[in-house]
Amino acid sequence: MTDNDGAIQSVLQEDRVFDPPADFIERCGGAWVESKEQYQTLHEQSIEDPEHFWGAVAEELHWFKKWDKVLEWECPDARWFVGGRINACWNCVDRHVENGFGDQTAIIWEGEPVGDAGPEVRRLTYADMQVEVSRFANALKKLGVQRGDIVTIYMGMVPELAIAVLACARIGAPHSVIFGGFSAQSIADRVTDAGSKFVITCDGAWRRGSVVELKANVDEALSMTDLVEQVVVVRRCENEIDMHAPRDVWWHDVVADVDDTCPCEEMDSEDMLFLLYTSGSTGKPKGIVHTTAGYLVHTFLTSRYTFNLRHHKNHVYWCTADVGWITGHSYIIYGIMQNGIPSLMYEGAPNHPGPDRFWDICQRHEVTHFYTAPTAIRAFMKWGEEHPRRHDLSKLEVLGTVGEPINPEAWMWYHRVIGHERCPIVDTWWQTETGGHMITPLPAATPTVPGSCTLPFLGIDAAVVDESGAEQPHGSGGLLVVRKPWPSMLRGIHGDRQRFIDTYFSRVDGMYFAGDSARRDERGYFWIMGRMDDVINVSGHRLGTMEVESALVSHDSVVEAAVVGMPHEIKGTGIAAFCTLSPDWSADDRLRDTLRAHVAEEIGAIAKPDMIRFTDALPKTRSGKIMRRLLRDVAAGREAGGDMTTLEDLSVLARLQDDED
Ligand code: WT7
């Protein structure tokens, strides 16, 4: 079993088991799941009768009309809470106001720039959110947005982003959020694929002290498609932008003369809540479809249990992801707000103005729950532990990680330097497609082992199997699958039924195949080994190697390109590109820079290759398939190994290995 993504391998062998701290439950004033035994019992029951289990969770939400049936499942099609009527915004916002908790903080927002008086901070209570969301929902309606219209959101991390997302949910218009780091071309592709007529954006976004020109990117994207009728623009950075009347309108203008109240649409359980584009093995990114009720139920429960969120315990929860990724959707907005917990949103970079910015935020806002990615932890390690040491992190209760396997070195550092050896670490495995946590420790119940995401969440039937679906013996690698449907599973790929079936439900009969390989140890704990497809995980962000290859060959100089993952100290996986050039270009550093800029222009800065190697030929099989396995070895600086009998021309490989770039 090989993993394809070339992630860093750990040097540290750490097989100590870390039990939940003895005083954790007392310190936190209780826990939803209190012991390993309780977890085991609950998990067994939930797997035996998932409908009963999830039905009981769903009872906790607000419904306009109760469901008739918890689940209808005909692989690959799941329908959860059939016949129910519900609204996501109501459950995130109005419910708390109705229950008398309107004055509780919903969002704590901190801007990136730090002036003499410190950074700008905004606090919105649930009652404030009800008003702001209703006003913007009314504005959207006035602009012509109707139930079912897909609204594209391309914004920085400002409170208006959460308001926009919830306003869409309120009126039954599915949102499609695009991460602000993506290029104009990426926006155009996604707008076109979604058939979206409305875009919400900002003039700019602050990032490491400079302004990212979001509106200019939207303008460029919209020059490639004439689908879009209206663009709403939030004024944030006051950078100079073009406003094209009547297409472009300011947020502050459209909310100026609308009503403060707006009813929540009664949505069917299975109505689409949002589309979120993510990379796959082939072609352009695919629009993952999530629907309403199941997604809400799953993100509600996982937020509560994985982080041990408890109402009225002075929690301040901070997930450092961008709302442009699924992590931000599920664990900044939907899951956290359903639990009525203050969710902190930070606008900018972790090292602006200094490398201690995150710890300064944790101290000032008394953060109790902190959720970040291994790539960030590795960067903090490199910057030095004196930065967190200077700040009071004593309010922290639970630490979370997500996005890629965490190497034990980073886990131990997180545990020691940030958690002061008293905060459980929840290493959460899940995906854009799964909507919510799938394999994760529960902080008061699960003993943790650095590098393992431990055990399946309640109601989740995860397994490691071979191609026939047979469970693998402990210790041997296999395909990571989920054997039973779960509420927040994707319902499809927008406009591509066949790709949905082929990607997720064809590899192993009747089971969801995640694309990862994994093994289980003697405790039954899961260890994620890496992606098995041509997807790489760069700083926890998903990219298709083929997307990067297409971007490279779209430049005049490149005839053929092969992209593979390579170990990278901070990013986990870096991007290595091997290119053959057309004869009138010279293979030099200037061209390398040009190509890196070109990829950023085509996809976004996150896709810039870390290494570009020019070569006169790529290693191929006799049938013309590029042998990526060999390129991964070359990129990692390893001696290329394994079976080479199919290689067409051995000298190509020899030349690649001899070359230093
Ligand atoms: C891929 C999904 C889930 C939100 C962020 C990423 C990898 C994710 C872990 C983890 C090991 C992980 C997998 C997965 N991954 N979390 N805790 N341990 N690997 O979502 O962009 O859809 O990527 O990220 O390879 O398939 P995504």
Side-chain angles (χ1 to χ4, degrees), residues 366-392:
E366 307 196 327
V367 170
T368 53
H369 295 73
F370 181 74
Y371 192 27
T372 196
T375 185
I377 299 168
R378 288 190 294 265
F380 300 137
M381 285 171 76
K382 198 170 171 186
W383 296 336
E385 63 181 77
E386 64 273 25
H387 303 296
R389 290 279 182 225
R390 272 207 305 277
H391 295 275
D392 178 4

Side-chain angles (χ1 to χ4, degrees), residues 123-202:
R123 267 167 216 282
L124 292 146
T125 63
Y126 281 95
D128 295 334
M129 285 301 280
Q130 192 181 36
V131 172
E132 298 293 329
V133 170
S134 297
R135 294 182 72 85
F136 190 60
N138 282 328
L140 287 176
K141 287 207 252 186
K142 203 172 68 178
L143 293 172
V145 179
Q146 288 175 9
R147 184 174 166 141
D149 285 341
I150 296 173
V151 176
T152 298
I153 300 180
Y154 180 71
M155 298 170 74
M157 286 284 284
V158 288
E160 286 80 1
L161 169 51
I163 294 168
V165 161
L166 291 165
C168 288
R170 194 170 189 91
I171 62 174
H175 49 78
S176 163
V177 182
I178 304 174
F179 169 58
F182 280 124
S183 65
Q185 182 65 54
S186 305
I187 305 171
D189 292 343
R190 287 159 173 75
V191 161
T192 313
D193 184 82
S196 178
K197 293 184 288 185
F198 304 92
V199 176
I200 309 167
T201 189
C202 300

Side-chain angles (χ1 to χ4, degrees), residues 278 326-327 401-405 427-433 514 516 528 531 537 540 542:
T278 190
I326 189 71
T327 308
T401 147
V402 61
E404 49 175 318
D427 174 357
T428 59
W429 177 86
W430 57 296
Q431 310 176 292
T432 305
E433 292 87 340
D516 285 343
I528 308 299
R531 298 285 310 189
N537 219 311
R542 208 162 129 174

Side-chain angles (χ1 to χ4, degrees), residues 359 370 388 393 396 399 413-421 423:
W359 320 121
F370 181 74
L393 303 178
L396 287 171
L399 302 175
W413 190 91
Y414 200 25
H415 172 69
R416 185 172 57 81
V417 180
I418 307 305
H420 296 274
E421 297 179 17
C423 301

Side-chain angles (χ1 to χ4, degrees), residues 144-378:
V145 179
Q146 288 175 9
R147 184 174 166 141
D149 285 341
I150 296 173
V151 176
T152 298
I153 300 180
Y154 180 71
M155 298 170 74
M157 286 284 284
V158 288
E160 286 80 1
L161 169 51
I163 294 168
V165 161
L166 291 165
C168 288
R170 194 170 189 91
I171 62 174
H175 49 78
S176 163
V177 182
I178 304 174
F179 169 58
F182 280 124
S183 65
Q185 182 65 54
S186 305
I187 305 171
D189 292 343
R190 287 159 173 75
V191 161
T192 313
D193 184 82
S196 178
K197 293 184 288 185
F198 304 92
V199 176
I200 309 167
T201 189
C202 300
D203 51 2
W206 287 109
R207 187 78 195 173
R208 218 159 274 133
S210 12
V211 174
V212 183
E213 306 267 344
L214 296 180
K215 175 62 165 63
N217 288 344
V218 169
D219 289 343
E220 194 187 331
L222 299 195
S223 71
M224 305 177 206
T225 159
D226 49 14
L227 260 171
V228 173
E229 294 164 10
Q230 295 268 233
V231 179
V232 182
V233 187
V234 174
R235 180 136 73 201
R236 165 63 190 142
C237 301
E238 311 209 355
N239 51 312
E240 197 134 331
I241 60 166
D242 296 327
M243 290 292 278
H244 303 266
R247 187 194 74 187
D248 301 349
V249 292
W250 286 107
W251 174 296
H252 54 259
D253 287 337
V254 291
V255 297
D257 54 353
V258 291
D259 216 70
D260 270 2
T261 57
C262 170
C264 287
E265 286 286 317
E266 298 191 6
M267 306 305 289
D268 185 273
S269 290
E270 285 297 333
D271 276 336
M272 195 201 308
L273 177 60
F274 64 85
L275 262 185
L276 185 58
Y277 284 85
T278 190
S279 298
S281 284
T282 53
K284 298 265 186 197
K286 47 199 178 185
I288 302 300
V289 176
H290 281 289
T291 59
T292 309
Y295 176 79
L296 287 175
V297 169
H298 193 124
T299 55
F300 166 73
L301 190 74
T302 47
S303 297
R304 176 183 265 189
Y305 279 16
T306 304
F307 300 116
N308 196 38
L309 296 183
R310 304 169 63 81
H311 217 182
H312 304 307
K313 293 283 180 209
N314 294 324
H315 286 346
V316 175
Y317 166 96
W318 182 21
C319 164
T320 68
D322 192 285
V323 170
W325 310 108
I326 189 71
T327 308
H329 283 59
S330 303
Y331 300 109
I332 294 177
I333 301 181
Y334 288 112
I336 306 304
M337 292 189 67
Q338 283 189 89
N339 279 282
I341 301 293
S343 183
L344 192 146
M345 268 177 96
Y346 167 58
E347 179 178 37
N351 54 352
H352 187 87
D356 64 337
R357 182 63 188 266
F358 272 16
W359 320 121
D360 180 43
I361 293 177
C362 285
Q363 176 177 335
R364 271 186 296 106
H365 296 287
E366 307 196 327
V367 170
T368 53
H369 295 73
F370 181 74
Y371 192 27
T372 196
T375 185
I377 299 168
R378 288 190 294 265

